[in-house]
Short mmCIF file of all heavy atoms in Angstrom, two decimals:
data_model
loop_
_atom_site.label_atom_id
_atom_site.label_comp_id
_atom_site.label_asym_id
_atom_site.label_seq_id
_atom_site.Cartn_x
_atom_site.Cartn_y
_atom_site.Cartn_z
N MET C 1 -26.20 -23.77 92.69
CA MET C 1 -26.35 -22.42 93.04
C MET C 1 -27.77 -21.92 92.69
O MET C 1 -28.26 -22.28 91.67
CB MET C 1 -25.28 -21.52 92.34
CG MET C 1 -25.35 -20.09 92.80
SD MET C 1 -24.07 -19.06 91.98
CE MET C 1 -22.60 -19.73 92.73
N LYS C 2 -28.32 -21.18 93.53
CA LYS C 2 -29.67 -20.60 93.32
C LYS C 2 -29.49 -19.23 92.71
O LYS C 2 -29.02 -18.32 93.40
CB LYS C 2 -30.44 -20.64 94.60
CG LYS C 2 -31.92 -20.40 94.52
CD LYS C 2 -32.63 -20.58 95.81
CE LYS C 2 -34.11 -20.25 95.67
NZ LYS C 2 -34.80 -20.28 96.94
N ILE C 3 -30.01 -19.01 91.47
CA ILE C 3 -29.84 -17.78 90.78
C ILE C 3 -31.17 -17.14 90.33
O ILE C 3 -32.05 -17.87 89.84
CB ILE C 3 -28.98 -18.01 89.52
CG1 ILE C 3 -27.61 -18.62 89.85
CG2 ILE C 3 -28.75 -16.74 88.68
CD1 ILE C 3 -26.86 -19.13 88.69
N LEU C 4 -31.27 -15.85 90.52
CA LEU C 4 -32.42 -15.13 90.12
C LEU C 4 -31.99 -14.14 89.00
O LEU C 4 -31.06 -13.38 89.18
CB LEU C 4 -33.07 -14.33 91.25
CG LEU C 4 -34.20 -13.37 90.90
CD1 LEU C 4 -35.41 -14.15 90.38
CD2 LEU C 4 -34.64 -12.59 92.15
N ILE C 5 -32.70 -14.23 87.85
CA ILE C 5 -32.46 -13.30 86.76
C ILE C 5 -33.64 -12.37 86.67
O ILE C 5 -34.76 -12.84 86.47
CB ILE C 5 -32.34 -14.06 85.41
CG1 ILE C 5 -31.15 -15.03 85.45
CG2 ILE C 5 -32.17 -13.07 84.24
CD1 ILE C 5 -31.10 -15.96 84.22
N LEU C 6 -33.43 -11.10 86.91
CA LEU C 6 -34.49 -10.11 86.81
C LEU C 6 -34.25 -9.18 85.57
O LEU C 6 -33.09 -8.76 85.35
CB LEU C 6 -34.51 -9.20 88.06
CG LEU C 6 -34.96 -9.84 89.38
CD1 LEU C 6 -34.83 -8.80 90.50
CD2 LEU C 6 -36.35 -10.35 89.25
N PHE C 7 -35.27 -8.95 84.79
CA PHE C 7 -34.99 -8.18 83.61
C PHE C 7 -36.21 -7.21 83.37
O PHE C 7 -37.33 -7.45 83.84
CB PHE C 7 -34.84 -9.07 82.40
CG PHE C 7 -36.05 -9.90 82.01
CD1 PHE C 7 -36.98 -9.33 81.11
CD2 PHE C 7 -36.30 -11.09 82.58
CE1 PHE C 7 -38.12 -10.07 80.74
CE2 PHE C 7 -37.38 -11.84 82.23
CZ PHE C 7 -38.34 -11.30 81.36
N ALA C 8 -35.91 -6.19 82.67
CA ALA C 8 -36.88 -5.26 82.11
C ALA C 8 -36.69 -5.25 80.60
O ALA C 8 -35.58 -5.43 80.14
CB ALA C 8 -36.71 -3.83 82.70
N THR C 9 -37.77 -5.03 79.87
CA THR C 9 -37.62 -5.06 78.42
C THR C 9 -38.58 -4.09 77.77
O THR C 9 -39.65 -3.86 78.27
CB THR C 9 -37.78 -6.49 77.88
OG1 THR C 9 -37.43 -6.52 76.49
CG2 THR C 9 -39.21 -6.98 78.05
N ASN C 10 -38.22 -3.52 76.69
CA ASN C 10 -39.11 -2.65 75.87
C ASN C 10 -39.63 -3.32 74.65
O ASN C 10 -40.82 -3.35 74.43
CB ASN C 10 -38.44 -1.32 75.53
CG ASN C 10 -38.04 -0.49 76.74
OD1 ASN C 10 -38.87 -0.33 77.61
ND2 ASN C 10 -36.82 -0.04 76.79
N SER C 11 -38.76 -3.88 73.89
CA SER C 11 -39.12 -4.54 72.62
C SER C 11 -38.98 -6.01 72.71
O SER C 11 -39.28 -6.74 71.71
CB SER C 11 -38.26 -3.99 71.51
OG SER C 11 -36.90 -4.30 71.72
N GLY C 12 -38.58 -6.53 73.80
CA GLY C 12 -38.49 -8.04 73.97
C GLY C 12 -37.08 -8.62 73.89
O GLY C 12 -36.85 -9.74 74.22
N GLY C 13 -36.11 -7.78 73.44
CA GLY C 13 -34.72 -8.30 73.29
C GLY C 13 -34.09 -8.69 74.63
O GLY C 13 -33.44 -9.77 74.69
N THR C 14 -34.28 -7.98 75.66
CA THR C 14 -33.66 -8.27 76.94
C THR C 14 -34.32 -9.54 77.52
O THR C 14 -33.64 -10.37 78.13
CB THR C 14 -33.84 -7.11 77.95
OG1 THR C 14 -33.38 -5.91 77.35
CG2 THR C 14 -33.09 -7.36 79.24
N GLU C 15 -35.56 -9.75 77.26
CA GLU C 15 -36.23 -10.98 77.72
C GLU C 15 -35.66 -12.21 76.98
O GLU C 15 -35.40 -13.24 77.59
CB GLU C 15 -37.73 -10.91 77.48
CG GLU C 15 -38.46 -12.12 78.00
CD GLU C 15 -39.97 -11.97 77.96
OE1 GLU C 15 -40.49 -10.99 77.42
OE2 GLU C 15 -40.66 -12.90 78.46
N VAL C 16 -35.46 -12.09 75.72
CA VAL C 16 -34.87 -13.18 74.91
C VAL C 16 -33.48 -13.56 75.47
O VAL C 16 -33.23 -14.73 75.71
CB VAL C 16 -34.81 -12.76 73.40
CG1 VAL C 16 -33.93 -13.79 72.66
CG2 VAL C 16 -36.14 -12.69 72.81
N VAL C 17 -32.69 -12.58 75.72
CA VAL C 17 -31.32 -12.84 76.20
C VAL C 17 -31.38 -13.39 77.60
O VAL C 17 -30.61 -14.32 77.93
CB VAL C 17 -30.44 -11.54 76.16
CG1 VAL C 17 -29.11 -11.75 76.88
CG2 VAL C 17 -30.20 -11.08 74.74
N SER C 18 -32.26 -12.92 78.46
CA SER C 18 -32.48 -13.46 79.79
C SER C 18 -32.83 -14.93 79.76
O SER C 18 -32.29 -15.75 80.61
CB SER C 18 -33.52 -12.70 80.53
OG SER C 18 -33.11 -11.32 80.72
N LYS C 19 -33.72 -15.32 78.85
CA LYS C 19 -34.13 -16.72 78.71
C LYS C 19 -32.99 -17.60 78.23
O LYS C 19 -32.82 -18.75 78.66
CB LYS C 19 -35.35 -16.82 77.75
CG LYS C 19 -36.54 -16.12 78.21
CD LYS C 19 -37.11 -16.82 79.50
CE LYS C 19 -38.45 -16.07 79.85
NZ LYS C 19 -39.07 -16.66 81.02
N ILE C 20 -32.13 -17.05 77.38
CA ILE C 20 -30.98 -17.81 76.90
C ILE C 20 -30.02 -18.01 78.03
O ILE C 20 -29.50 -19.15 78.22
CB ILE C 20 -30.30 -17.06 75.72
CG1 ILE C 20 -31.13 -17.10 74.46
CG2 ILE C 20 -28.87 -17.69 75.47
CD1 ILE C 20 -30.66 -16.19 73.37
N ILE C 21 -29.77 -17.05 78.83
CA ILE C 21 -28.89 -17.14 79.96
C ILE C 21 -29.46 -18.20 81.00
O ILE C 21 -28.75 -18.98 81.50
CB ILE C 21 -28.66 -15.77 80.67
CG1 ILE C 21 -27.85 -14.87 79.73
CG2 ILE C 21 -27.95 -15.93 82.03
CD1 ILE C 21 -27.81 -13.39 80.17
N GLU C 22 -30.77 -18.08 81.17
CA GLU C 22 -31.44 -19.06 82.07
C GLU C 22 -31.17 -20.50 81.62
O GLU C 22 -30.79 -21.38 82.41
CB GLU C 22 -32.96 -18.77 82.10
CG GLU C 22 -33.70 -19.75 82.92
CD GLU C 22 -35.22 -19.55 82.81
OE1 GLU C 22 -35.67 -18.99 81.75
OE2 GLU C 22 -35.90 -19.99 83.74
N GLU C 23 -31.39 -20.76 80.32
CA GLU C 23 -31.17 -22.12 79.81
C GLU C 23 -29.74 -22.62 79.95
O GLU C 23 -29.53 -23.79 80.30
CB GLU C 23 -31.68 -22.18 78.38
CG GLU C 23 -33.16 -22.08 78.22
CD GLU C 23 -33.91 -23.09 79.11
OE1 GLU C 23 -33.59 -24.30 79.10
OE2 GLU C 23 -34.88 -22.66 79.79
N VAL C 24 -28.80 -21.72 79.68
CA VAL C 24 -27.40 -22.08 79.81
C VAL C 24 -27.05 -22.43 81.29
O VAL C 24 -26.39 -23.44 81.54
CB VAL C 24 -26.47 -20.95 79.31
CG1 VAL C 24 -25.01 -21.23 79.66
CG2 VAL C 24 -26.62 -20.75 77.80
N LEU C 25 -27.51 -21.63 82.20
CA LEU C 25 -27.23 -21.87 83.61
C LEU C 25 -27.92 -23.15 84.06
O LEU C 25 -27.39 -23.91 84.87
CB LEU C 25 -27.73 -20.68 84.42
CG LEU C 25 -26.84 -19.42 84.28
CD1 LEU C 25 -27.50 -18.23 84.98
CD2 LEU C 25 -25.39 -19.63 84.73
N LYS C 26 -29.11 -23.40 83.58
CA LYS C 26 -29.80 -24.66 84.05
C LYS C 26 -29.09 -25.90 83.52
O LYS C 26 -29.00 -26.91 84.17
CB LYS C 26 -31.25 -24.67 83.45
CG LYS C 26 -32.22 -23.75 84.27
CD LYS C 26 -33.64 -23.84 83.81
CE LYS C 26 -34.50 -23.08 84.63
NZ LYS C 26 -35.93 -23.09 84.17
N ARG C 27 -28.49 -25.79 82.28
CA ARG C 27 -27.72 -26.89 81.80
C ARG C 27 -26.46 -27.18 82.62
O ARG C 27 -25.92 -28.26 82.62
CB ARG C 27 -27.25 -26.67 80.32
CG ARG C 27 -28.41 -26.98 79.36
CD ARG C 27 -27.83 -26.89 77.95
NE ARG C 27 -28.58 -25.81 77.29
CZ ARG C 27 -28.07 -24.87 76.59
NH1 ARG C 27 -26.80 -24.87 76.27
NH2 ARG C 27 -28.81 -23.92 76.04
N LYS C 28 -26.04 -26.14 83.37
CA LYS C 28 -24.87 -26.33 84.31
C LYS C 28 -25.35 -26.75 85.68
O LYS C 28 -24.60 -26.65 86.67
CB LYS C 28 -24.15 -24.96 84.39
CG LYS C 28 -23.59 -24.46 83.11
CD LYS C 28 -22.38 -25.24 82.67
CE LYS C 28 -21.82 -24.63 81.38
NZ LYS C 28 -20.64 -25.36 80.94
N ASN C 29 -26.64 -27.17 85.76
CA ASN C 29 -27.23 -27.68 87.03
C ASN C 29 -27.46 -26.65 88.11
O ASN C 29 -27.41 -26.99 89.31
CB ASN C 29 -26.44 -28.87 87.53
CG ASN C 29 -26.50 -30.03 86.61
OD1 ASN C 29 -27.55 -30.34 86.02
ND2 ASN C 29 -25.36 -30.64 86.41
N HIS C 30 -27.69 -25.40 87.71
CA HIS C 30 -28.05 -24.38 88.67
C HIS C 30 -29.55 -24.33 88.75
O HIS C 30 -30.28 -24.57 87.81
CB HIS C 30 -27.54 -23.02 88.24
CG HIS C 30 -25.98 -22.96 88.27
ND1 HIS C 30 -25.24 -22.99 89.42
CD2 HIS C 30 -25.09 -22.88 87.25
CE1 HIS C 30 -24.00 -22.91 89.15
NE2 HIS C 30 -23.83 -22.84 87.82
N GLU C 31 -30.07 -23.86 89.91
CA GLU C 31 -31.50 -23.65 90.07
C GLU C 31 -31.70 -22.13 89.69
O GLU C 31 -31.13 -21.25 90.34
CB GLU C 31 -31.89 -23.90 91.52
CG GLU C 31 -33.31 -23.60 91.81
CD GLU C 31 -33.67 -23.83 93.27
OE1 GLU C 31 -32.92 -24.53 94.02
OE2 GLU C 31 -34.71 -23.26 93.72
N VAL C 32 -32.49 -21.94 88.60
CA VAL C 32 -32.58 -20.56 88.06
C VAL C 32 -34.07 -20.18 87.87
O VAL C 32 -34.89 -20.94 87.50
CB VAL C 32 -31.97 -20.54 86.69
CG1 VAL C 32 -31.98 -19.10 86.17
CG2 VAL C 32 -30.53 -21.04 86.69
N VAL C 33 -34.34 -18.95 88.38
CA VAL C 33 -35.64 -18.30 88.18
C VAL C 33 -35.40 -17.07 87.34
O VAL C 33 -34.52 -16.31 87.60
CB VAL C 33 -36.32 -17.95 89.50
CG1 VAL C 33 -37.53 -17.22 89.27
CG2 VAL C 33 -36.53 -19.21 90.32
N CYS C 34 -36.19 -16.88 86.32
CA CYS C 34 -36.10 -15.73 85.40
C CYS C 34 -37.45 -15.03 85.35
O CYS C 34 -38.47 -15.68 85.09
CB CYS C 34 -35.74 -16.25 84.02
SG CYS C 34 -35.44 -14.97 82.82
N GLN C 35 -37.45 -13.77 85.70
CA GLN C 35 -38.72 -13.03 85.73
C GLN C 35 -38.51 -11.53 85.52
O GLN C 35 -37.45 -11.02 85.68
CB GLN C 35 -39.47 -13.29 87.08
CG GLN C 35 -38.80 -12.77 88.28
CD GLN C 35 -39.50 -13.09 89.59
OE1 GLN C 35 -39.77 -14.27 89.77
NE2 GLN C 35 -39.78 -12.14 90.37
N LYS C 36 -39.65 -10.92 85.20
CA LYS C 36 -39.60 -9.45 84.99
C LYS C 36 -39.44 -8.77 86.32
O LYS C 36 -40.00 -9.23 87.31
CB LYS C 36 -40.93 -9.00 84.31
CG LYS C 36 -41.00 -9.44 82.90
CD LYS C 36 -42.23 -8.91 82.19
CE LYS C 36 -42.32 -9.40 80.75
NZ LYS C 36 -43.48 -8.93 80.08
N VAL C 37 -38.75 -7.60 86.34
CA VAL C 37 -38.54 -6.89 87.57
C VAL C 37 -39.79 -6.52 88.21
O VAL C 37 -39.97 -6.61 89.46
CB VAL C 37 -37.69 -5.59 87.27
CG1 VAL C 37 -37.62 -4.69 88.50
CG2 VAL C 37 -36.28 -6.02 86.79
N LYS C 38 -40.82 -6.13 87.42
CA LYS C 38 -42.11 -5.67 87.98
C LYS C 38 -42.86 -6.81 88.71
O LYS C 38 -43.71 -6.52 89.57
CB LYS C 38 -43.06 -5.13 86.85
CG LYS C 38 -43.52 -6.12 85.91
CD LYS C 38 -44.46 -5.51 84.90
CE LYS C 38 -45.04 -6.63 84.01
NZ LYS C 38 -46.17 -6.18 83.33
N ASP C 39 -42.45 -8.07 88.45
CA ASP C 39 -43.07 -9.23 89.16
C ASP C 39 -42.24 -9.70 90.33
O ASP C 39 -42.65 -10.65 91.00
CB ASP C 39 -43.24 -10.37 88.21
CG ASP C 39 -44.21 -9.95 87.01
OD1 ASP C 39 -45.07 -9.12 87.24
OD2 ASP C 39 -44.02 -10.52 85.92
N ALA C 40 -41.18 -9.04 90.61
CA ALA C 40 -40.24 -9.50 91.69
C ALA C 40 -40.78 -9.15 93.04
O ALA C 40 -41.40 -8.14 93.25
CB ALA C 40 -38.85 -8.83 91.48
N ASP C 41 -40.51 -10.07 94.00
CA ASP C 41 -40.91 -9.87 95.37
C ASP C 41 -39.62 -9.51 96.13
O ASP C 41 -38.72 -10.35 96.33
CB ASP C 41 -41.53 -11.10 95.96
CG ASP C 41 -41.88 -11.01 97.43
OD1 ASP C 41 -41.74 -9.92 98.03
OD2 ASP C 41 -42.29 -12.01 97.99
N ILE C 42 -39.51 -8.25 96.54
CA ILE C 42 -38.28 -7.79 97.24
C ILE C 42 -37.93 -8.63 98.45
O ILE C 42 -36.77 -8.73 98.82
CB ILE C 42 -38.44 -6.31 97.53
CG1 ILE C 42 -37.07 -5.73 97.89
CG2 ILE C 42 -39.40 -6.01 98.63
CD1 ILE C 42 -36.98 -4.22 97.88
N PHE C 43 -38.87 -9.21 99.07
CA PHE C 43 -38.63 -9.97 100.32
C PHE C 43 -37.96 -11.29 100.05
O PHE C 43 -37.50 -11.92 100.98
CB PHE C 43 -39.91 -10.12 101.12
CG PHE C 43 -40.53 -8.83 101.49
CD1 PHE C 43 -41.65 -8.28 100.89
CD2 PHE C 43 -39.91 -8.04 102.53
CE1 PHE C 43 -42.21 -7.06 101.24
CE2 PHE C 43 -40.41 -6.79 102.84
CZ PHE C 43 -41.56 -6.29 102.25
N THR C 44 -38.03 -11.78 98.80
CA THR C 44 -37.34 -13.08 98.51
C THR C 44 -36.00 -12.97 97.85
O THR C 44 -35.36 -13.95 97.63
CB THR C 44 -38.28 -13.92 97.63
OG1 THR C 44 -38.44 -13.24 96.30
CG2 THR C 44 -39.64 -14.18 98.27
N LEU C 45 -35.53 -11.75 97.57
CA LEU C 45 -34.28 -11.54 96.91
C LEU C 45 -33.12 -12.21 97.68
O LEU C 45 -32.17 -12.75 97.11
CB LEU C 45 -33.99 -10.09 96.68
CG LEU C 45 -34.90 -9.37 95.76
CD1 LEU C 45 -34.47 -7.89 95.58
CD2 LEU C 45 -34.94 -9.98 94.38
N SER C 46 -33.17 -12.10 99.03
CA SER C 46 -32.05 -12.62 99.81
C SER C 46 -32.01 -14.11 99.86
O SER C 46 -31.02 -14.73 100.32
CB SER C 46 -32.18 -12.11 101.26
OG SER C 46 -33.32 -12.51 101.85
N SER C 47 -33.00 -14.77 99.31
CA SER C 47 -33.00 -16.27 99.26
C SER C 47 -32.21 -16.83 98.11
O SER C 47 -32.06 -18.05 98.00
CB SER C 47 -34.38 -16.81 99.25
OG SER C 47 -35.08 -16.46 98.04
N TYR C 48 -31.62 -15.98 97.28
CA TYR C 48 -30.82 -16.38 96.08
C TYR C 48 -29.36 -16.14 96.38
O TYR C 48 -28.99 -15.15 97.07
CB TYR C 48 -31.29 -15.62 94.85
CG TYR C 48 -32.67 -15.99 94.40
CD1 TYR C 48 -33.76 -15.32 94.83
CD2 TYR C 48 -32.85 -17.07 93.52
CE1 TYR C 48 -35.05 -15.70 94.44
CE2 TYR C 48 -34.15 -17.46 93.14
CZ TYR C 48 -35.22 -16.77 93.61
OH TYR C 48 -36.48 -17.16 93.24
N ASP C 49 -28.55 -17.01 95.79
CA ASP C 49 -27.08 -16.83 95.92
C ASP C 49 -26.57 -15.75 95.04
O ASP C 49 -25.61 -15.08 95.34
CB ASP C 49 -26.36 -18.15 95.57
CG ASP C 49 -26.81 -19.31 96.48
OD1 ASP C 49 -26.79 -19.06 97.71
OD2 ASP C 49 -27.19 -20.39 95.98
N THR C 50 -27.17 -15.64 93.79
CA THR C 50 -26.71 -14.69 92.82
C THR C 50 -27.91 -14.04 92.20
O THR C 50 -28.93 -14.62 91.92
CB THR C 50 -25.92 -15.43 91.71
OG1 THR C 50 -24.82 -16.07 92.33
CG2 THR C 50 -25.43 -14.46 90.66
N LEU C 51 -27.77 -12.76 91.92
CA LEU C 51 -28.79 -11.95 91.26
C LEU C 51 -28.19 -11.36 89.98
O LEU C 51 -27.15 -10.76 90.01
CB LEU C 51 -29.28 -10.76 92.18
CG LEU C 51 -30.27 -9.83 91.68
CD1 LEU C 51 -31.59 -10.51 91.28
CD2 LEU C 51 -30.49 -8.70 92.71
N VAL C 52 -28.90 -11.61 88.85
CA VAL C 52 -28.44 -11.14 87.54
C VAL C 52 -29.50 -10.12 87.12
O VAL C 52 -30.72 -10.43 87.16
CB VAL C 52 -28.31 -12.24 86.53
CG1 VAL C 52 -27.97 -11.72 85.13
CG2 VAL C 52 -27.32 -13.30 87.00
N LEU C 53 -29.10 -8.92 86.73
CA LEU C 53 -30.01 -7.90 86.31
C LEU C 53 -29.83 -7.66 84.81
O LEU C 53 -28.69 -7.46 84.33
CB LEU C 53 -29.75 -6.58 87.06
CG LEU C 53 -29.95 -6.65 88.58
CD1 LEU C 53 -29.46 -5.32 89.20
CD2 LEU C 53 -31.33 -7.01 88.94
N GLY C 54 -30.96 -7.60 84.08
CA GLY C 54 -30.93 -7.27 82.65
C GLY C 54 -31.70 -6.02 82.39
O GLY C 54 -32.86 -5.87 82.87
N SER C 55 -31.16 -5.10 81.63
CA SER C 55 -31.81 -3.86 81.34
C SER C 55 -31.74 -3.54 79.85
O SER C 55 -30.70 -3.80 79.21
CB SER C 55 -31.07 -2.74 82.13
OG SER C 55 -31.60 -1.47 81.78
N PRO C 56 -32.85 -2.95 79.31
CA PRO C 56 -32.80 -2.62 77.87
C PRO C 56 -31.95 -1.40 77.67
O PRO C 56 -31.66 -0.60 78.57
CB PRO C 56 -34.28 -2.31 77.51
CG PRO C 56 -34.86 -1.83 78.84
CD PRO C 56 -34.13 -2.67 79.92
N SER C 57 -31.52 -1.19 76.43
CA SER C 57 -30.82 -0.03 76.01
C SER C 57 -31.63 0.71 74.90
O SER C 57 -32.47 0.12 74.27
CB SER C 57 -29.39 -0.34 75.57
OG SER C 57 -29.44 -1.15 74.39
N TRP C 58 -31.32 1.99 74.76
CA TRP C 58 -32.03 2.76 73.77
C TRP C 58 -31.04 3.27 72.69
O TRP C 58 -29.91 3.58 73.04
CB TRP C 58 -32.71 3.92 74.47
CG TRP C 58 -33.87 3.55 75.24
CD1 TRP C 58 -33.82 3.02 76.55
CD2 TRP C 58 -35.22 3.55 74.88
NE1 TRP C 58 -35.06 2.73 76.94
CE2 TRP C 58 -36.02 3.07 75.98
CE3 TRP C 58 -35.87 3.93 73.72
CZ2 TRP C 58 -37.39 2.95 76.01
CZ3 TRP C 58 -37.23 3.84 73.75
CH2 TRP C 58 -37.97 3.33 74.86
N ASP C 59 -31.53 3.44 71.54
CA ASP C 59 -30.74 4.01 70.41
C ASP C 59 -31.02 5.50 70.55
O ASP C 59 -32.18 5.97 70.32
CB ASP C 59 -31.18 3.43 69.13
CG ASP C 59 -30.32 3.97 67.95
OD1 ASP C 59 -29.22 4.56 68.28
OD2 ASP C 59 -30.75 3.81 66.80
N TYR C 60 -29.99 6.36 70.86
CA TYR C 60 -30.14 7.79 70.99
C TYR C 60 -29.16 8.47 70.02
O TYR C 60 -27.96 8.31 70.17
CB TYR C 60 -29.87 8.22 72.43
CG TYR C 60 -30.02 9.69 72.64
CD1 TYR C 60 -31.23 10.32 72.62
CD2 TYR C 60 -28.89 10.43 72.88
CE1 TYR C 60 -31.30 11.69 72.78
CE2 TYR C 60 -28.94 11.83 73.09
CZ TYR C 60 -30.21 12.40 73.01
OH TYR C 60 -30.28 13.79 73.17
N GLN C 61 -29.68 9.17 69.11
CA GLN C 61 -28.83 9.90 68.10
C GLN C 61 -27.86 8.95 67.42
O GLN C 61 -26.70 9.23 67.34
CB GLN C 61 -28.16 11.10 68.72
CG GLN C 61 -29.13 12.17 69.20
CD GLN C 61 -28.43 13.36 69.83
OE1 GLN C 61 -27.28 13.35 70.16
NE2 GLN C 61 -29.21 14.42 69.97
N THR C 62 -28.42 7.77 66.96
CA THR C 62 -27.63 6.71 66.33
C THR C 62 -26.53 6.13 67.17
O THR C 62 -25.66 5.45 66.64
CB THR C 62 -27.04 7.20 64.98
OG1 THR C 62 -26.02 8.19 65.17
CG2 THR C 62 -28.06 7.76 64.07
N LYS C 63 -26.60 6.31 68.46
CA LYS C 63 -25.65 5.70 69.38
C LYS C 63 -26.40 4.78 70.32
O LYS C 63 -27.27 5.16 71.07
CB LYS C 63 -24.90 6.73 70.16
CG LYS C 63 -24.01 7.59 69.29
CD LYS C 63 -23.23 8.58 70.05
CE LYS C 63 -22.36 9.42 69.15
NZ LYS C 63 -21.82 10.57 69.71
N GLU C 64 -26.01 3.45 70.22
CA GLU C 64 -26.64 2.49 71.10
C GLU C 64 -26.34 2.85 72.53
O GLU C 64 -25.24 3.10 72.90
CB GLU C 64 -26.18 1.11 70.74
CG GLU C 64 -26.94 -0.03 71.47
CD GLU C 64 -28.40 -0.18 71.06
OE1 GLU C 64 -28.77 0.25 70.01
OE2 GLU C 64 -29.17 -0.68 71.95
N GLY C 65 -27.38 2.80 73.38
CA GLY C 65 -27.24 3.29 74.75
C GLY C 65 -27.09 2.34 75.81
O GLY C 65 -26.96 2.54 76.92
#
């Protein structure tokens, strides 16, 4: 399966998790591309079987968001 992981990150945590997911999927013999959303080419999105989106969360008033 051809998989695209797109992520945004503020402090780097979402990128770390995205890379871990990428490695796990590659070990399962999937073709995986992992990149930042800002570097994505909207015209190539349809060439992937699966799209995984990663987004950061914020701590707001001591509640993880």
Side-chain angles (χ1 to χ4, degrees):
M1 184 178 292
K2 193 172 176 186
I3 301 169
L4 175 61
I5 301 171
L6 291 177
F7 67 90
T9 190
N10 294 315
S11 61
T14 308
E15 182 172 8
V16 169
V17 172
S18 296
K19 298 292 184 179
I20 291 169
I21 293 169
E22 175 187 25
E23 291 306 313
V24 169
L25 291 171
K26 283 183 175 179
R27 279 188 244 134
K28 301 286 185 178
N29 295 318
H30 295 290
E31 181 182 337
V32 185
V33 173
C34 184
Q35 66 185 52
K36 292 182 178 180
V37 172
K38 68 177 185 163
D39 299 329
D41 177 5
I42 193 165
F43 299 106
T44 63
L45 294 180
S46 64
S47 65
Y48 292 91
D49 301 310
T50 301
L51 177 61
V52 178
L53 301 175
S55 175
S57 63
W58 289 82
D59 185 17
Y60 178 72
Q61 296 180 344
T62 68
K63 295 181 178 167
E64 188 65 26

